[in-house]
Structures are given as structure tokens and as C-alpha cells.
Amino acid sequence: MKHNNFYITTPIYYPSGQPHMGHAYSSILADVFARFMRNDNYKVHFLTGTDEHGLKIQRAAEKAGLDPLIFCNKISKIFNDLTKKLNLSNDDFIRTTEKRHYRSVNDLWSRLVKSGDIYLSKYKGWYSVSDEAYYNENEIIEKNGKKVSTFSGSSVEWVEEESFFFKLSAWEKKLLDFYNKNDKFILPISRRNEVINFVKSGLKDLSVSRTSFTWGIKVPNNNKHVIYVWLDALTNYLSALNFPNTNDSLYKNFWPASLHVIGKDILRFHAIYWPAFLLAADIKPPNRVFGHGWILSGDEKMSKSKGNILNPLEIINTYGIDELRYYLMKEVSHGSDGNISLKGLENCINSDLANNYGNLCQRVFSFVKNNCKNKINKTNDISNSDKKLIDKTKLLTSNLRNEMNNQNLNNYIKSVINICFLTNKYINDEEPWKLKNTDIKKMNNILHLALEQIAKISIFFDPIIPNATTKVLDALNVKSQIRNLSFLDGNNIFNNEIKINDIEILFKKITQ
Ligand code: MSP
């Protein structure tokens, strides 16, 4: 991976309907990585946006009785508003109907023509509008009298039309070499194996233009064809860096992308087509594609067409954004699918946020306020139990960077919540309230260490629950220039005196 600069993207969303929890999940996951890398002193560029062309959007606009662009303006805004509601820290929001994107798609297309990777022929086969994907005959079955994709379950229609093709078959061996040389290009490892097996089973040339509808970017010098929406959409990652101006500082600083966060349903596009297009155009492929699992409702993927949507906005209004972010990141194992429910959310808020992290902060802050006038100094004495807590914390934190750099967010969260638990236990065992009249020095030392732990835990949790951690770090008067992970290299956050301010309740316990 590149040093210091980190370019991270979410998928750009189809503005064909209301955003749902699956969209929220993909975005929050990427946001957590972006915030972590910023806290680890990387210069981060975090991109999200909307994918506005193709038959799926054209049909959705027709159904709404609107011109496609007017339709997209309306729904793209809803997705853009969602970025604020989810507290995403994105640096840019790209729309594929923007001029900067047209310029970049045209240039990529021209490079592919120039390299001899594009030719004109005729496409005859199955197409899923819902997935905007072509499927082979062996990927289709009949279900309830309808032809559907075995891969996604979406219905497919037969297409026969003149089309430009990309010589994907010619890239089979080069892709396998590329995966071999870059063994962490696709994570988790199960997804990497899936992709390698698919490529090994043989790649067919890919239809990259359509002639039976008009809503898309026209093939340069050929008004009859619009560019296949996936070739168009994937290029957004370059467009946002002002490609084709390769001298632009954004491009120079941030390409190749460090991490594309995507759902497993769109892995083939990102892990096969995308590097093949880029290699053919003589552009470096991204460093990594991380394919997360699906959020399930019951046993099915949550999606508009299945009508089993949990609305993220309703959850945020009722429970709060940090609560939703934490639950999604903790409960859904990022490699595999995860079932979510309101009961699960409430249990998670109570056990981890209210009773563990929240309680730790609240009890220490109120004790320091009531007994120490909001000020703590320590001596240099370190007791055995202090040392034990410090050592265990060091052990739990030693692998945290590594976990995040490999997108093992579940392990990361487990370790941090474990530090909360240990710190609560340390306070229970040390009983500082009993020392008020007997050993003020020792009491202060205990509280000082507890506050140091709270500051560290808050910095670790900051990418996931940034509203709460900001309140805590503000109340601890931790200066912004040290609210980062430099302490992992051995320093403490506080020197000696710690002054605190009052803090409001962070997480309310949910009672039935
Ligand atoms: N427009 C394409 C992406 C183009 S990227 C160049 C697309 N859009 S989408 O709106 O359908 O989905 C966006 C993301 O949301 C995908 O990563 C997808 O996997 C994710 N999710 C949609 N439903 C999901 C769940 N139920 N669970 C988790 N994520 C899923 O695909």
C-alpha cells in the first residue's frame, strides 16, 4: 500500500429508489476505514456518489413519469442527504451525469480503442436490468415460469443487438498473474478464491455498449451506441481525481485507489472487469477490493425488489446515528452475510454502548466531578493492578492497526470493547470511592489511569461512533492535534494534570 495517502471509495449507488440499510452499511463501513486512516495520520480522499445511467434508471424514470435527468437530480439528492444523516466524512460526492465524468469515460474508451481491445459485433444473450449484468446460459434457471439468474435471483431478458465488445478473454492469463502477484488485491480470502475460480473457468469477451436505449454516455463518434453502464460507472473512481488530467494533484496523490469497499454482489465487476479495463488502458489497477457480505432480513438479501427493507432514517430517528453505526459494524461479520433486527440493535446498544463504554465514561466523570473538582494529578507510583491493566491494554492494541489495514473490523471492535470491560473491572476491583478518606494519592492515580484509558478507547472508537467520542474527548480537553493514533507508538495521551468538563449521558439504555 502507498504511504501517507489513502484513496477509499464506496460503490456509487443506483438512484432508482429510496436508500436502504444495505446502502447504509456499505457507506458506513467505508467511512469507518476512512476515519481510521485519517486518525492514523494518512491524507485521505473518500468518495461516494450516484450511478445514474443505464436501462434500470431509464425505466425507473419512465415509471415515475420523469425525464431521466430530472429523476436522477431528485433521487441523487436523497442519497447525498443520506451521507449527512449517516455522518459520513466523504470528501466528494460524484454523479455520473457530471461533465467531469463524461470527459473521463470518453478518454478511457478511446484508450481501449487505441490499444485494440474493443471491436464491433453483435450481442445475443441474457441480460438482467436489475443487476445491469450479462449472464451466460449456464447461469440461468427457470423459476415460477420466469428466467432468473442463479447468481442473484434477478429476472433476465433476452437481448440481441449490435454491440461493441471488450476483449476480456485476452486478459484471462494476465488477470491471474495480477492476482498472484497481488495476493491481497481481493479480500476476504474466500472472495479472492471465488474470483480466481471464475476467471480460471474461462472469460468471454464482454459487451460494452448498448443500442436499444439511449440513457447513457454515447460511444465517442458513434451516436447509435451508449457505453455499458458498468464501464461508465466504474470509471467514476478515476473521474473524481480529474482523470484524464494525470498531472492533476488529486490524480497524482491518490491513484491507484487504496481500497474499493463493495458488496459481494458486485465483486465480478470490480475484481475482474475493472482491473482488465485498467490494465488494457495502461492505468494501474487499485490496490484492494474488499467485498463485504449482505445484510439479510429473515434469510433474504435486503433490497427494494424484495420489499424487506429496514429504513435507516427511521432507525436513526428512534435510536441515534452512533447507535446504528456501531450495531451494523459490530453485528454484521464483514466477510459473510449478517441478519439484523431491532431486538439485536437494542441488545447491542444496552450491552456495549450503554452498559460498557457509556457507563465507564459516566461513572469516572461523575466521580471526578463530585470528589476531585474536575481535576486530577498523579504521582509516579504504579501499582500491580495498574501495571496489569496497562500491559493487557497494550497486548489488545498491538494488532489493531493490522486488523484495520486488513479490514478485520470485527476483531478490532472486539478488542476495543474488551479494553472497556477490563477498565470497568479495574475500577470495580480498585474501589477508588473507598480511598477518599484514606489514600487520596492512590485514588487520584486510579482515576488518572481510568481517564487515560477512556481517552485511548475513545480514539479507537472514534471512526465508529464519532459523535459520542467527540463529546468525551472534548470533555477530557484532549487537543485536536493529539486526537490520533500516535499514542500507539508508546506515548500517553496525558502528561500529568487532567482537567475535565461535565459530560451529558452518552447512550440511553433501552428499556421495554
Ligand atoms: N451502482 C452499482 C455500483 C456501481 S460502483 C461502480 C450498485 N449500486 S446499488 O445501489 O445497487 O448497491 C450499492 C452497494 O450497496 C453495493 O455494494 C451493494 O452490495 C450494497 N448493498 C445493496 N444491498 C445490500 C444488502 N442488503 N446488504 C449489504 N449491502 C448491499 O450496485
PDB file of all heavy atoms in Angstrom, residues 310-325:
ATOM      1  N   LEU A 310     -35.413  -2.398   5.947  1.00  0.00           N
ATOM      2  CA  LEU A 310     -35.436  -1.650   7.211  1.00  0.00           C
ATOM      3  C   LEU A 310     -34.934  -0.252   6.867  1.00  0.00           C
ATOM      4  O   LEU A 310     -33.857  -0.112   6.313  1.00  0.00           O
ATOM      5  CB  LEU A 310     -34.463  -2.264   8.214  1.00  0.00           C
ATOM      6  CG  LEU A 310     -34.971  -3.280   9.229  1.00  0.00           C
ATOM      7  CD1 LEU A 310     -33.850  -3.632  10.199  1.00  0.00           C
ATOM      8  CD2 LEU A 310     -36.161  -2.749   9.990  1.00  0.00           C
ATOM      9  N   ASN A 311     -35.709   0.742   7.203  1.00  0.00           N
ATOM     10  CA  ASN A 311     -35.346   2.096   6.777  1.00  0.00           C
ATOM     11  C   ASN A 311     -34.308   2.721   7.722  1.00  0.00           C
ATOM     12  O   ASN A 311     -34.585   2.939   8.902  1.00  0.00           O
ATOM     13  CB  ASN A 311     -36.633   2.934   6.745  1.00  0.00           C
ATOM     14  CG  ASN A 311     -36.374   4.339   6.240  1.00  0.00           C
ATOM     15  OD1 ASN A 311     -35.253   4.826   6.316  1.00  0.00           O
ATOM     16  ND2 ASN A 311     -37.418   4.960   5.743  1.00  0.00           N
ATOM     17  N   PRO A 312     -33.112   3.031   7.203  1.00  0.00           N
ATOM     18  CA  PRO A 312     -32.075   3.572   8.092  1.00  0.00           C
ATOM     19  C   PRO A 312     -32.489   4.892   8.748  1.00  0.00           C
ATOM     20  O   PRO A 312     -32.142   5.152   9.898  1.00  0.00           O
ATOM     21  CB  PRO A 312     -30.865   3.775   7.173  1.00  0.00           C
ATOM     22  CG  PRO A 312     -31.352   3.648   5.770  1.00  0.00           C
ATOM     23  CD  PRO A 312     -32.633   2.874   5.820  1.00  0.00           C
ATOM     24  N   LEU A 313     -33.277   5.692   8.016  1.00  0.00           N
ATOM     25  CA  LEU A 313     -33.636   7.005   8.588  1.00  0.00           C
ATOM     26  C   LEU A 313     -34.549   6.858   9.803  1.00  0.00           C
ATOM     27  O   LEU A 313     -34.407   7.580  10.794  1.00  0.00           O
ATOM     28  CB  LEU A 313     -34.313   7.887   7.524  1.00  0.00           C
ATOM     29  CG  LEU A 313     -33.407   8.243   6.350  1.00  0.00           C
ATOM     30  CD1 LEU A 313     -34.136   9.132   5.366  1.00  0.00           C
ATOM     31  CD2 LEU A 313     -32.126   8.921   6.829  1.00  0.00           C
ATOM     32  N   GLU A 314     -35.463   5.890   9.718  1.00  0.00           N
ATOM     33  CA  GLU A 314     -36.351   5.666  10.872  1.00  0.00           C
ATOM     34  C   GLU A 314     -35.545   5.199  12.079  1.00  0.00           C
ATOM     35  O   GLU A 314     -35.776   5.630  13.207  1.00  0.00           O
ATOM     36  CB  GLU A 314     -37.398   4.598  10.527  1.00  0.00           C
ATOM     37  CG  GLU A 314     -38.541   5.164   9.712  1.00  0.00           C
ATOM     38  CD  GLU A 314     -39.461   4.074   9.180  1.00  0.00           C
ATOM     39  OE1 GLU A 314     -39.421   2.931   9.686  1.00  0.00           O
ATOM     40  OE2 GLU A 314     -40.217   4.390   8.226  1.00  0.00           O
ATOM     41  N   ILE A 315     -34.557   4.327  11.800  1.00  0.00           N
ATOM     42  CA  ILE A 315     -33.736   3.809  12.912  1.00  0.00           C
ATOM     43  C   ILE A 315     -32.920   4.943  13.527  1.00  0.00           C
ATOM     44  O   ILE A 315     -32.794   5.045  14.754  1.00  0.00           O
ATOM     45  CB  ILE A 315     -32.789   2.707  12.396  1.00  0.00           C
ATOM     46  CG1 ILE A 315     -33.591   1.620  11.705  1.00  0.00           C
ATOM     47  CG2 ILE A 315     -31.891   2.178  13.511  1.00  0.00           C
ATOM     48  CD1 ILE A 315     -33.788   0.365  12.436  1.00  0.00           C
ATOM     49  N   ILE A 316     -32.380   5.805  12.669  1.00  0.00           N
ATOM     50  CA  ILE A 316     -31.567   6.913  13.196  1.00  0.00           C
ATOM     51  C   ILE A 316     -32.442   7.819  14.065  1.00  0.00           C
ATOM     52  O   ILE A 316     -32.044   8.240  15.148  1.00  0.00           O
ATOM     53  CB  ILE A 316     -30.924   7.713  12.032  1.00  0.00           C
ATOM     54  CG1 ILE A 316     -29.904   6.836  11.302  1.00  0.00           C
ATOM     55  CG2 ILE A 316     -30.257   8.986  12.549  1.00  0.00           C
ATOM     56  CD1 ILE A 316     -29.425   7.391   9.977  1.00  0.00           C
ATOM     57  N   ASN A 317     -33.666   8.112  13.583  1.00  0.00           N
ATOM     58  CA  ASN A 317     -34.554   8.987  14.360  1.00  0.00           C
ATOM     59  C   ASN A 317     -34.904   8.378  15.707  1.00  0.00           C
ATOM     60  O   ASN A 317     -34.962   9.084  16.716  1.00  0.00           O
ATOM     61  CB  ASN A 317     -35.857   9.251  13.592  1.00  0.00           C
ATOM     62  CG  ASN A 317     -35.601  10.281  12.502  1.00  0.00           C
ATOM     63  OD1 ASN A 317     -34.610  11.017  12.557  1.00  0.00           O
ATOM     64  ND2 ASN A 317     -36.460  10.317  11.500  1.00  0.00           N
ATOM     65  N   THR A 318     -35.102   7.077  15.739  1.00  0.00           N
ATOM     66  CA  THR A 318     -35.515   6.461  17.001  1.00  0.00           C
ATOM     67  C   THR A 318     -34.327   6.191  17.927  1.00  0.00           C
ATOM     68  O   THR A 318     -34.411   6.421  19.129  1.00  0.00           O
ATOM     69  CB  THR A 318     -36.224   5.108  16.724  1.00  0.00           C
ATOM     70  OG1 THR A 318     -37.119   5.301  15.645  1.00  0.00           O
ATOM     71  CG2 THR A 318     -36.964   4.602  17.929  1.00  0.00           C
ATOM     72  N   TYR A 319     -33.223   5.688  17.354  1.00  0.00           N
ATOM     73  CA  TYR A 319     -32.134   5.204  18.214  1.00  0.00           C
ATOM     74  C   TYR A 319     -30.878   6.084  18.184  1.00  0.00           C
ATOM     75  O   TYR A 319     -30.065   6.013  19.093  1.00  0.00           O
ATOM     76  CB  TYR A 319     -31.743   3.775  17.820  1.00  0.00           C
ATOM     77  CG  TYR A 319     -32.851   2.775  18.008  1.00  0.00           C
ATOM     78  CD1 TYR A 319     -33.702   2.447  16.958  1.00  0.00           C
ATOM     79  CD2 TYR A 319     -33.051   2.166  19.239  1.00  0.00           C
ATOM     80  CE1 TYR A 319     -34.726   1.521  17.127  1.00  0.00           C
ATOM     81  CE2 TYR A 319     -34.067   1.238  19.430  1.00  0.00           C
ATOM     82  CZ  TYR A 319     -34.909   0.920  18.362  1.00  0.00           C
ATOM     83  OH  TYR A 319     -35.918   0.017  18.547  1.00  0.00           O
ATOM     84  N   GLY A 320     -30.658   6.822  17.103  1.00  0.00           N
ATOM     85  CA  GLY A 320     -29.452   7.659  17.001  1.00  0.00           C
ATOM     86  C   GLY A 320     -28.464   7.086  15.992  1.00  0.00           C
ATOM     87  O   GLY A 320     -28.417   5.867  15.784  1.00  0.00           O
ATOM     88  N   ILE A 321     -27.665   7.952  15.410  1.00  0.00           N
ATOM     89  CA  ILE A 321     -26.758   7.521  14.341  1.00  0.00           C
ATOM     90  C   ILE A 321     -25.571   6.710  14.868  1.00  0.00           C
ATOM     91  O   ILE A 321     -25.187   5.705  14.276  1.00  0.00           O
ATOM     92  CB  ILE A 321     -26.301   8.707  13.438  1.00  0.00           C
ATOM     93  CG1 ILE A 321     -25.344   8.225  12.354  1.00  0.00           C
ATOM     94  CG2 ILE A 321     -25.714   9.862  14.209  1.00  0.00           C
ATOM     95  CD1 ILE A 321     -25.869   7.147  11.451  1.00  0.00           C
ATOM     96  N   ASP A 322     -24.981   7.124  15.986  1.00  0.00           N
ATOM     97  CA  ASP A 322     -23.852   6.336  16.515  1.00  0.00           C
ATOM     98  C   ASP A 322     -24.314   4.915  16.839  1.00  0.00           C
ATOM     99  O   ASP A 322     -23.586   3.942  16.598  1.00  0.00           O
ATOM    100  CB  ASP A 322     -23.286   6.977  17.790  1.00  0.00           C
ATOM    101  CG  ASP A 322     -22.255   8.060  17.480  1.00  0.00           C
ATOM    102  OD1 ASP A 322     -22.011   8.319  16.289  1.00  0.00           O
ATOM    103  OD2 ASP A 322     -21.702   8.643  18.431  1.00  0.00           O
ATOM    104  N   GLU A 323     -25.513   4.814  17.378  1.00  0.00           N
ATOM    105  CA  GLU A 323     -26.062   3.510  17.755  1.00  0.00           C
ATOM    106  C   GLU A 323     -26.184   2.625  16.522  1.00  0.00           C
ATOM    107  O   GLU A 323     -25.803   1.454  16.541  1.00  0.00           O
ATOM    108  CB  GLU A 323     -27.446   3.680  18.405  1.00  0.00           C
ATOM    109  CG  GLU A 323     -27.399   4.214  19.829  1.00  0.00           C
ATOM    110  CD  GLU A 323     -27.261   5.734  19.915  1.00  0.00           C
ATOM    111  OE1 GLU A 323     -26.970   6.384  18.892  1.00  0.00           O
ATOM    112  OE2 GLU A 323     -27.438   6.271  21.031  1.00  0.00           O
ATOM    113  N   LEU A 324     -26.718   3.194  15.405  1.00  0.00           N
ATOM    114  CA  LEU A 324     -26.863   2.401  14.180  1.00  0.00           C
ATOM    115  C   LEU A 324     -25.490   2.025  13.627  1.00  0.00           C
ATOM    116  O   LEU A 324     -25.245   0.875  13.243  1.00  0.00           O
ATOM    117  CB  LEU A 324     -27.652   3.184  13.118  1.00  0.00           C
ATOM    118  CG  LEU A 324     -27.724   2.490  11.756  1.00  0.00           C
ATOM    119  CD1 LEU A 324     -28.527   1.197  11.839  1.00  0.00           C
ATOM    120  CD2 LEU A 324     -28.331   3.409  10.692  1.00  0.00           C
ATOM    121  N   ARG A 325     -24.574   2.981  13.594  1.00  0.00           N
ATOM    122  CA  ARG A 325     -23.233   2.715  13.051  1.00  0.00           C
ATOM    123  C   ARG A 325     -22.566   1.573  13.833  1.00  0.00           C
ATOM    124  O   ARG A 325     -22.027   0.639  13.267  1.00  0.00           O
ATOM    125  CB  ARG A 325     -22.353   3.981  13.137  1.00  0.00           C
ATOM    126  CG  ARG A 325     -22.733   5.072  12.141  1.00  0.00           C
ATOM    127  CD  ARG A 325     -21.924   6.366  12.399  1.00  0.00           C
ATOM    128  NE  ARG A 325     -20.505   6.186  12.179  1.00  0.00           N
ATOM    129  CZ  ARG A 325     -19.823   6.628  11.125  1.00  0.00           C
ATOM    130  NH1 ARG A 325     -20.434   7.310  10.174  1.00  0.00           N
ATOM    131  NH2 ARG A 325     -18.534   6.419  11.024  1.00  0.00           N
TER     132      ARG A 325
END
